[in-house]
Amino acid sequence: AGGRGGGEGRGGLAMQLLSSRGGGSRRSCTASRRAAVAAPSAPSPRRDSWRGMRAGILVLGGTSAGLLLAYLAGRRHWRRRKPSPAALALLKTVDSAALEAELARRSVGAHVINTSVRPLHAARAAAIDAELSRLGVASPDALAPGPPRKAYETFARPREGEPCDDDYVRRKAPLMAQQVAFLHRHEQARRNELLRNVDDATQALERAARPRHNVTVVLDNLRSAENVGSIFRTADTARCAEVITCGFTPHPPNPKLAKTAFGAIESVPTRHAQSTLQAVRALQAGGVAVYAMETTERSQAYSTVAFPPGGVALVLGNEQIGVDTDVLAAVDGIVEIPTFGVKNSLNVASAATVVVFEVLRQWGLLDGQQGG
């Protein structure tokens, strides 16, 4: 009788938390339940649900685990009645505390979500440890938590029935070690990137107030949105004055540009012109020296040209046919990047980066005091 009475008291509290609609009291809940028991009626799914809940609480003595089991046993009842905020908060607290305590007791990684830890297989563990050591990972304890530790545990603690013979372990261990080492490097890079992102956000506020470098990039009928997006990113890192897209060159708004530019489209001034030749002549009228980047008989190596500090525009042409011949006839100079292989030119986005930063170097802006 004492056990039943204690269980009923705990059950009343649990049921009040789990099923309360905000206005009921423990006494009214208990009274209504007793009245329901006393009145003869046909068995109902709700009554079976309550009985299962009470049985779970009696078995586990009203502990935190018993409260969680009560929730699981009364899922059918839970669907019918709106849970109170107090019940939800209590269940979350119990679940989190129990999980953290179990993980701490077992000293395993946070990736374990079941209630049992498979035993360590000596041969598998020794093999992957040796391979990881060759890859620069001193021990499993040095692995970053999360995916690296999970991949290691998956191999070192095999499921029942998985092959563990010497030949399999010898073949599989190097491959798994490579995967674990890569995940370890990736996790470290990801965490470091988060730290850099914080610094970049702070630096961006300060850099936004700096004057732009008087370098304009003119894109003459480029066809690849990926190339254009990459050039926008170069223009952002070099803090160029603007990017002028001409003709059928992809220009904002464009989802492909956004994907390649990684947010640089919003940070670089840009405008679109129907005619590259008209855009070039307008720049020249404003005192800007315009150079086309093209391989011709009269091209000069980019590193031998003295770019005037008053302002420079670089024209980059279509990936197949290059800069339009009318534009070549109108510019102030033509520069090229010497090549030593089968191909006579670089990718247009790569070429833009090389020459843009050569201009900044000549202007003394790469001494590390204004960049970073």
Side-chain angles (χ1 to χ4, degrees), residues 51-64:
R51 287 174 179 172
M53 187 182 301
R54 292 173 61 191
I57 297 174
L58 286 172
V59 171
L60 296 176
T63 61
S64 298

PDB file of all heavy atoms in Angstrom, residues 51-64:
ATOM      1  N   ARG A  51      -2.454   4.338 -17.377  1.00  0.00           N
ATOM      2  CA  ARG A  51      -1.933   3.187 -16.617  1.00  0.00           C
ATOM      3  C   ARG A  51      -0.485   2.902 -16.982  1.00  0.00           C
ATOM      4  O   ARG A  51       0.337   2.584 -16.122  1.00  0.00           O
ATOM      5  CB  ARG A  51      -2.809   1.964 -16.902  1.00  0.00           C
ATOM      6  CG  ARG A  51      -4.186   2.018 -16.239  1.00  0.00           C
ATOM      7  CD  ARG A  51      -5.039   0.846 -16.677  1.00  0.00           C
ATOM      8  NE  ARG A  51      -6.364   0.876 -16.027  1.00  0.00           N
ATOM      9  CZ  ARG A  51      -7.354   0.079 -16.325  1.00  0.00           C
ATOM     10  NH1 ARG A  51      -7.185  -0.827 -17.300  1.00  0.00           N
ATOM     11  NH2 ARG A  51      -8.510   0.167 -15.687  1.00  0.00           N
ATOM     12  N   GLY A  52      -0.167   2.997 -18.243  1.00  0.00           N
ATOM     13  CA  GLY A  52       1.218   2.783 -18.652  1.00  0.00           C
ATOM     14  C   GLY A  52       2.141   3.821 -18.047  1.00  0.00           C
ATOM     15  O   GLY A  52       3.250   3.521 -17.618  1.00  0.00           O
ATOM     16  N   MET A  53       1.657   5.044 -17.969  1.00  0.00           N
ATOM     17  CA  MET A  53       2.475   6.108 -17.397  1.00  0.00           C
ATOM     18  C   MET A  53       2.715   5.866 -15.913  1.00  0.00           C
ATOM     19  O   MET A  53       3.834   6.000 -15.404  1.00  0.00           O
ATOM     20  CB  MET A  53       1.774   7.452 -17.621  1.00  0.00           C
ATOM     21  CG  MET A  53       2.603   8.659 -17.225  1.00  0.00           C
ATOM     22  SD  MET A  53       1.676  10.182 -17.478  1.00  0.00           S
ATOM     23  CE  MET A  53       1.342  10.065 -19.221  1.00  0.00           C
ATOM     24  N   ARG A  54       1.651   5.509 -15.209  1.00  0.00           N
ATOM     25  CA  ARG A  54       1.789   5.259 -13.759  1.00  0.00           C
ATOM     26  C   ARG A  54       2.680   4.071 -13.494  1.00  0.00           C
ATOM     27  O   ARG A  54       3.485   4.065 -12.561  1.00  0.00           O
ATOM     28  CB  ARG A  54       0.405   5.046 -13.159  1.00  0.00           C
ATOM     29  CG  ARG A  54      -0.476   6.305 -13.164  1.00  0.00           C
ATOM     30  CD  ARG A  54      -1.887   5.994 -12.706  1.00  0.00           C
ATOM     31  NE  ARG A  54      -1.908   5.469 -11.343  1.00  0.00           N
ATOM     32  CZ  ARG A  54      -2.966   4.926 -10.762  1.00  0.00           C
ATOM     33  NH1 ARG A  54      -4.096   4.838 -11.440  1.00  0.00           N
ATOM     34  NH2 ARG A  54      -2.890   4.472  -9.525  1.00  0.00           N
ATOM     35  N   ALA A  55       2.576   3.043 -14.342  1.00  0.00           N
ATOM     36  CA  ALA A  55       3.439   1.868 -14.145  1.00  0.00           C
ATOM     37  C   ALA A  55       4.906   2.239 -14.327  1.00  0.00           C
ATOM     38  O   ALA A  55       5.774   1.780 -13.574  1.00  0.00           O
ATOM     39  CB  ALA A  55       3.053   0.769 -15.146  1.00  0.00           C
ATOM     40  N   GLY A  56       5.199   3.087 -15.310  1.00  0.00           N
ATOM     41  CA  GLY A  56       6.591   3.489 -15.519  1.00  0.00           C
ATOM     42  C   GLY A  56       7.138   4.253 -14.340  1.00  0.00           C
ATOM     43  O   GLY A  56       8.273   4.071 -13.919  1.00  0.00           O
ATOM     44  N   ILE A  57       6.307   5.112 -13.752  1.00  0.00           N
ATOM     45  CA  ILE A  57       6.771   5.897 -12.603  1.00  0.00           C
ATOM     46  C   ILE A  57       6.976   5.004 -11.388  1.00  0.00           C
ATOM     47  O   ILE A  57       7.917   5.167 -10.612  1.00  0.00           O
ATOM     48  CB  ILE A  57       5.765   7.014 -12.308  1.00  0.00           C
ATOM     49  CG1 ILE A  57       5.703   7.970 -13.508  1.00  0.00           C
ATOM     50  CG2 ILE A  57       6.138   7.761 -11.050  1.00  0.00           C
ATOM     51  CD1 ILE A  57       4.633   9.027 -13.390  1.00  0.00           C
ATOM     52  N   LEU A  58       6.071   4.022 -11.186  1.00  0.00           N
ATOM     53  CA  LEU A  58       6.222   3.117 -10.051  1.00  0.00           C
ATOM     54  C   LEU A  58       7.493   2.289 -10.166  1.00  0.00           C
ATOM     55  O   LEU A  58       8.208   2.085  -9.183  1.00  0.00           O
ATOM     56  CB  LEU A  58       4.997   2.185  -9.976  1.00  0.00           C
ATOM     57  CG  LEU A  58       3.689   2.829  -9.474  1.00  0.00           C
ATOM     58  CD1 LEU A  58       2.535   1.864  -9.646  1.00  0.00           C
ATOM     59  CD2 LEU A  58       3.844   3.227  -8.010  1.00  0.00           C
ATOM     60  N   VAL A  59       7.793   1.813 -11.381  1.00  0.00           N
ATOM     61  CA  VAL A  59       8.975   0.951 -11.558  1.00  0.00           C
ATOM     62  C   VAL A  59      10.254   1.721 -11.280  1.00  0.00           C
ATOM     63  O   VAL A  59      11.176   1.236 -10.632  1.00  0.00           O
ATOM     64  CB  VAL A  59       8.993   0.378 -12.988  1.00  0.00           C
ATOM     65  CG1 VAL A  59      10.312  -0.323 -13.276  1.00  0.00           C
ATOM     66  CG2 VAL A  59       7.838  -0.606 -13.160  1.00  0.00           C
ATOM     67  N   LEU A  60      10.329   2.945 -11.749  1.00  0.00           N
ATOM     68  CA  LEU A  60      11.587   3.690 -11.642  1.00  0.00           C
ATOM     69  C   LEU A  60      11.611   4.618 -10.435  1.00  0.00           C
ATOM     70  O   LEU A  60      12.541   5.406 -10.289  1.00  0.00           O
ATOM     71  CB  LEU A  60      11.822   4.482 -12.923  1.00  0.00           C
ATOM     72  CG  LEU A  60      12.022   3.609 -14.168  1.00  0.00           C
ATOM     73  CD1 LEU A  60      12.137   4.480 -15.399  1.00  0.00           C
ATOM     74  CD2 LEU A  60      13.274   2.756 -14.026  1.00  0.00           C
ATOM     75  N   GLY A  61      10.596   4.554  -9.591  1.00  0.00           N
ATOM     76  CA  GLY A  61      10.649   5.266  -8.320  1.00  0.00           C
ATOM     77  C   GLY A  61      10.569   6.776  -8.441  1.00  0.00           C
ATOM     78  O   GLY A  61      11.088   7.484  -7.585  1.00  0.00           O
ATOM     79  N   GLY A  62       9.988   7.288  -9.519  1.00  0.00           N
ATOM     80  CA  GLY A  62       9.824   8.728  -9.617  1.00  0.00           C
ATOM     81  C   GLY A  62      11.089   9.486  -9.920  1.00  0.00           C
ATOM     82  O   GLY A  62      11.184  10.678  -9.647  1.00  0.00           O
ATOM     83  N   THR A  63      12.118   8.839 -10.440  1.00  0.00           N
ATOM     84  CA  THR A  63      13.371   9.515 -10.776  1.00  0.00           C
ATOM     85  C   THR A  63      13.208  10.316 -12.055  1.00  0.00           C
ATOM     86  O   THR A  63      12.166  10.279 -12.704  1.00  0.00           O
ATOM     87  CB  THR A  63      14.492   8.492 -10.958  1.00  0.00           C
ATOM     88  OG1 THR A  63      14.128   7.620 -12.024  1.00  0.00           O
ATOM     89  CG2 THR A  63      14.704   7.688  -9.685  1.00  0.00           C
ATOM     90  N   SER A  64      14.270  10.991 -12.433  1.00  0.00           N
ATOM     91  CA  SER A  64      14.229  11.772 -13.678  1.00  0.00           C
ATOM     92  C   SER A  64      13.961  10.873 -14.868  1.00  0.00           C
ATOM     93  O   SER A  64      13.199  11.217 -15.776  1.00  0.00           O
ATOM     94  CB  SER A  64      15.558  12.507 -13.873  1.00  0.00           C
ATOM     95  OG  SER A  64      15.765  13.408 -12.828  1.00  0.00           O
TER      96      SER A  64
END
